[in-house]
Amino acid sequence: MGIFNFSQDLGIDLGTANTLVFIKGKGIVVREPSVVAINKTTGGIEAVGSDARNMIGRTPGNISVIRPMKDGVIADYDTTASMMKYYIKLAQKNRSSFAKKPNVMVCVPSGITMVEERAVIDATKHAGAKEAFPIAEPFAAAIGAGLPVWEPTGSMIVDIGGGTTEVAVISLGGIVTSQSIRVAGDDMDEAITQYVKKKYNLMIGERSSESIKLDIGSASQPDKDEEMDIRGRDLLTGLPKTITITASEIATSLHDTVTAIVDAVKNTLERTPPELAADIMDRGIVLSGGGALLKQLDKVISEETKMPVFVADDPLDSVAIGTGKSLEYIQHFRGHPNVSSQRISD
Ligand SMILES: Nc1ncnc2c1ncn2[C@@H]1O[C@H](COP(=O)(O)OP(=O)(O)OP(=O)(O)O)[C@@H](O)[C@H]1O
């Protein structure tokens, strides 16, 4: 292959919260929020990624900040395609202008409909891919977390992202049982916003509720009750106000979301064949995705399921690493997004 027609295939974790791009042989080269700022007057793009995210809640009337992915799927097709195009270019900034278009492995939630999946494939091609290969997100997460997905043994992965939580039991290169719920990190942020609104009549922005979650959020009542000052707008006076909130209040506000995630894990375990359940009992459940970093979540899932639970080494990177590693098998993924019906040997 000559240097000019060399193409670098890509793996993309197109997430509700973050988009990551993996280049074969290089690793993760782009790690940015899935956010785009658009100038409503010109229709042009003002900013993409962290620059756009910093504008959330702070824009003048002519700029709107969009999160084009919702619940793990495309909510705004044109903006998603533009965002992917920007990230593909960024990932390939040293690419020769003679280089061939890349093949792209792109993750999709396991509960996706045909129409939603078609939109991801089309947007990926629109963004510059020669061919787009969908891979089920929990399968990619399991590969990225280093689970022995090709072996005749049961591995359980729980990927908690911004928009979806994907629970899957994998064996012999296929998903045996899975459940995808549209409840994840974004719902935790929303639960915090609603709690603060109801209890303190205080309106806070989505960036604030997320930072409360990251700082003092916990899946169960904390041993040490930390406090945090939060600022927002008093709904009664309309004026800015600061209140102090405790970690224990935040744990209360997150209770329903955490319960929904735990229930999805339990439901999947109930539908898992006994041999595979025994394997999982031995080796444990692995958590990935940014939501896996919520304090005490591993402990709560372990207590509720009576199984050992571990958090993947780089939970925010697992899906991207998995899509990247799967590039080696790209031809096998043609028409098999869930890789559930085939065995690909190493
Ligand atoms: N330390 C943390 N504690 C709790 N939540 C966290 C932490 N760090 C990140 N998150 C949350 O993880 C979510 C993002 O995770 P991730 O990047 O895996 O999602 P995604 O792949 O974009 O979403 P999806 O898979 O649903 O499309 C966000 O909701 C973010 O707030």
Side-chain angles (χ1 to χ4, degrees):
M1 188 186 289
I3 188 162
F4 291 128
N5 61 8
F6 178 72
S7 99
Q8 277 180 319
D9 290 343
L10 306 175
I12 301 186
D13 169 5
L14 178 62
T16 312
N18 299 299
T19 298
L20 284 75
V21 183
F22 183 108
I23 293 193
K24 213 169 160 176
K26 281 195 186 161
I28 296 172
V29 291
V30 173
R31 189 186 274 111
E32 286 280 339
S34 306
V35 185
V36 181
I38 297 200
N39 185 317
K40 288 196 265 184
T41 320
T42 63
I45 289 179
E46 289 281 326
V48 184
S50 22
D51 290 345
R53 195 172 65 155
N54 289 336
M55 297 180 181
I56 291 179
R58 299 195 170 99
T59 51
N62 64 329
I63 294 179
S64 74
V65 179
I66 298 174
R67 291 182 57 186
M69 302 288 297
K70 189 164 169 30
D71 295 337
V73 298
I74 295 178
D76 177 333
Y77 180 87
D78 291 336
T79 310
T80 302
S82 306
M83 179 180 80
M84 285 179 98
K85 189 171 185 175
Y86 179 87
Y87 288 145
I88 289 177
K89 273 216 175 107
L90 190 64
Q92 302 186 306
K93 53 179 183 295
N94 298 323
R95 173 177 177 257
S96 145
S97 51
F98 296 99
K100 284 200 283 192
K101 283 181 167 184
N103 282 319
V104 176
M105 182 75 88
V106 58
C107 70
V108 290
S110 59
I112 199 168
T113 66
M114 296 278 279
V115 174
E116 290 166 338
E117 185 181 300
R118 190 72 244 164
V120 173
I121 295 172
D122 289 348
T124 310
K125 286 192 186 164
H126 209 113
K130 179 168 159 251
E131 272 202 76
F133 299 87
I135 177 171
E137 201 163 2
F139 193 78
I143 295 177
L147 295 178
V149 296
W150 313 114
E151 306 290 323
T153 180
S155 297
M156 184 177 228
I157 185 89
V158 182
D159 184 70
I160 308 147
T164 59
T165 295
E166 310 261 338
V167 187
V169 173
I170 296 167
S171 174
L172 287 166
I175 293 175
V176 181
T177 38
S178 67
Q179 185 168 4
S180 172
I181 56 167
R182 296 188 175 194
V183 174
D186 287 350
D187 301 85
M188 296 181 195
D189 303 347
E190 182 57 27
I192 293 173
T193 306
Q194 291 307 327
Y195 180 90
V196 172
K197 187 173 162 194
K198 212 164 150 203
K199 178 143 185 215
Y200 295 101
N201 275 315
L202 189 76
M203 197 62 203
I204 55 172
E206 63 176 83
R207 302 270 332 254
S208 305
S209 52
E210 187 186 23
S211 62
I212 297 169
K213 175 183 71 177
L214 304 193
D215 276 11
I216 59 169
S218 169
S220 62
Q221 289 299 327
D223 302 331
K224 189 170 132 270
D225 207 4
E226 291 171 277
E227 289 185 342
M228 184 175 174
D229 285 345
I230 52 174
R231 275 183 298 175
R233 184 166 52 86
D234 187 326
L235 286 168
L236 300 176
T237 65
L239 297 172
K241 186 168 120 180
T242 303
I243 60 152
T244 303
I245 200 154
T246 65
S248 132
E249 289 180 278
I250 298 304
T252 305
S253 74
L254 296 179
H255 178 265
D256 291 354
T257 319
V258 170
T259 305
I261 294 171
V262 169
D263 286 348
V265 177
K266 282 185 175 168
N267 284 339
T268 311
L269 279 171
E270 280 164 15
R271 290 183 289 113
T272 300
E275 294 292 344
L276 298 180
D279 297 339
I280 297 164
M281 188 86 186
D282 285 343
R283 300 218 333 281
I285 298 170
V286 175
L287 309 185
S288 65
L293 292 166
L294 181 72
K295 292 181 209 77
Q296 307 279 358
L297 185 59
D298 49 349
K299 201 171 132 236
V300 171
I301 297 178
S302 178
E303 279 167 6
E304 292 284 331
T305 59
K306 315 270 180 288
M307 298 259 184
V309 177
F310 306 99
V311 177
D313 279 347
D314 299 300
L316 281 155
D317 292 353
S318 306
V319 171
I321 295 171
T323 49
K325 283 192 183 165
S326 313
L327 286 169
E328 298 174 19
Y329 307 106
I330 203 156
Q331 296 308 327
H332 297 267
F333 283 80
R334 211 179 283 276
H336 294 278
N338 281 317
V339 287
S340 52
S341 56
Q342 58 180 336
R343 161 100 169 94
I344 306 163
S345 53
D346 285 42

